[in-house]
Amino acid sequence: RALPEAVIALNDHNVQGRQAAADMIGRAGPKAPEAYRDELMRALGKSLEDPEGDVRRSVSGALLRLMPPKSK
């Protein structure tokens, strides 16, 4: 399972590594069990304070993909 490693990589010293981790979570996270999605969203929420704008942009996109669809 790559998602736990991606969560760890959100704290990597390498900007591209953090950005790739957020992108991976955004792609794979919606398929994760709901309880684990909450953990992913918490990890991404912390990364919204990343000093690099490209990382924050990837994190924002990942969060949007993890949000549950609105009920009509």
Side-chain angles (χ1 to χ4, degrees):
R1 211 193 246 237
L3 286 175
E5 291 177 14
V7 170
I8 292 168
L10 288 173
N11 297 308
D12 196 274
H13 71 280
N14 181 287
V15 173
Q16 290 83 10
R18 296 193 307 272
Q19 188 174 3
D23 289 337
M24 177 188 291
I25 292 169
R27 284 191 310 275
K31 299 172 193 157
E34 189 172 335
Y36 190 59
R37 266 186 275 151
D38 291 342
E39 183 180 329
L40 294 173
M41 291 186 72
R42 279 192 299 276
L44 289 167
K46 292 177 185 175
S47 292
L48 283 172
E49 296 180 14
D50 194 282
E52 296 293 330
D54 288 340
V55 175
R56 292 192 306 271
R57 194 172 305 111
S58 291
V59 166
S60 296
L63 282 167
L64 286 172
R65 288 189 292 275
L66 287 174
M67 290 175 58
K70 288 185 178 182
S71 300
K72 291 184 179 184

